[in-house]
Amino acid sequence: MKQIAFTFLLSLLSAVSIAQSISGDQSKYMSSHYRERTAAFNAEPVVKGRIIFLGNSITEFGDWQKLLNDPSVVNRGIAGDNTFGVLARLQDIITRRPSKIFIEIGINDFSLNLPLSVTLKNILSIVEQIHNASPAAAIYVMGIFPTNGNVKTDYPFALNKGRQIDWIDARLVKDATRDKFTYVGFNIVLKDENGKLSAKYAKPDGIHLNDIGYNLWIKFLHAKGYI
């Protein structure tokens, strides 16, 4: 009986801990930069049917119009954003009814110390809401990009998260057909022989892509027929 009570107490404490982490998520993405970016997004005219890149800083720092030679491409990246932040601003995407959307999100969730299942659930919820609003839209979910050892200086939460990334990616691959999105395994191309983000494609911070990395990304999307 004591063992049962002890087990129940552990479960309860775990649930409370998770709930506290989730309830604190807003402070992790609702930065001044997030507010400025979303305010700018909401001020833009609503034009439907465009290609949208949605994500965190890796997306924000990409010059997609130049990379694709298409001035109509929409950049919806926000540095520091996580899956909760994307969900909170998803109406902007839904209203615009994209023809194609590339979703790159998840690495910043590790700073929240959430169960991996929560990040996965959030990504699938993002996909579901976009699909329900725009059934004809082609939805592409990027596998979470690897990092390398240099992240320990500025982004220690992203250090040595290879196994966690692989867990989420494997389940995204499994759910892709059922949930009507295409999983994009470009992250594999970015890895070096040790499974880390290759220095060839990375900035010195170990998490963001350099120009070579972005150009490789576009070549990959072209090769796969996604753009």
Side-chain angles (χ1 to χ4, degrees):
M1 191 67 178
K2 289 183 178 180
Q3 181 62 38
I4 294 174
F6 180 70
T7 301
F8 174 76
L9 179 60
L10 283 179
S11 299
L12 182 61
L13 289 173
S14 177
V16 170
S17 176
I18 291 171
Q20 288 175 339
S21 296
I22 294 175
S23 67
D25 68 282
Q26 188 175 21
S27 65
K28 295 292 187 178
Y29 70 81
M30 194 64 77
S31 64
S32 59
H33 182 67
Y34 180 96
R35 292 192 293 271
E36 290 168 4
R37 290 281 286 175
T38 53
F41 296 160
N42 293 331
E44 293 179 10
V46 174
V47 180
K48 299 178 181 180
R50 291 185 170 179
I51 297 174
I52 296 179
F53 283 78
L54 172 65
N56 50 42
S57 57
I58 299 172
T59 293
E60 180 180 349
F61 299 162
D63 189 348
W64 303 108
Q65 294 185 356
K66 181 178 179 180
L67 287 165
L68 292 173
N69 192 28
D70 182 350
S72 72
V73 175
V74 177
N75 186 331
R76 284 297 184 262
I78 299 182
D81 207 1
N82 56 47
T83 58
F84 285 102
V86 170
L87 284 168
R89 61 186 175 96
L90 202 54
Q91 189 57 45
D92 168 64
I93 304 298
I94 291 172
T95 300
R96 297 174 190 281
R97 298 186 181 275
S99 58
K100 295 182 179 181
I101 182 163
F102 295 87
I103 302 169
E104 173 275 314
I105 199 70
I107 192 67
N108 291 325
D109 280 44
F110 293 127
S111 68
L112 303 176
N113 294 316
L114 297 171
L116 299 179
S117 59
V118 173
T119 296
L120 176 65
K121 180 180 178 181
N122 286 353
I123 294 173
L124 295 178
S125 180
I126 292 165
V127 170
E128 181 180 15
Q129 292 185 53
I130 296 172
H131 175 72
N132 288 344
S134 302
I139 303 173
Y140 301 94
V141 177
M142 308 298 301
I144 299 175
F145 290 2
T147 65
N148 63 42
N150 290 343
V151 296
K152 63 184 178 183
T153 301
D154 294 325
Y155 307 97
F157 65 83
L159 182 65
N160 296 327
K161 290 298 190 294
R163 288 185 178 180
Q164 293 91 328
I165 290 172
D166 288 346
W167 187 93
I168 294 173
D169 287 346
R171 280 148 185 83
L172 287 173
V173 170
K174 182 179 178 181
D175 288 330
T177 302
R178 183 181 66 190
D179 289 334
K180 299 178 181 177
F181 68 90
T182 299
Y183 172 83
V184 182
F186 174 62
N187 52 350
I188 303 300
V189 180
L190 294 172
K191 293 182 179 181
D192 62 17
E193 63 274 10
N194 297 312
K196 308 293 185 181
L197 176 60
S198 173
K200 293 187 297 184
Y201 310 127
K203 289 186 175 181
D205 61 15
I207 193 170
H208 294 105
L209 300 184
N210 58 23
D211 289 343
I212 298 174
Y214 280 109
N215 280 295
L216 185 66
W217 189 345
I218 295 303
K219 289 180 181 178
F220 183 90
L221 296 181
H222 275 301
K224 292 291 185 180
Y226 299 151
I227 55 174

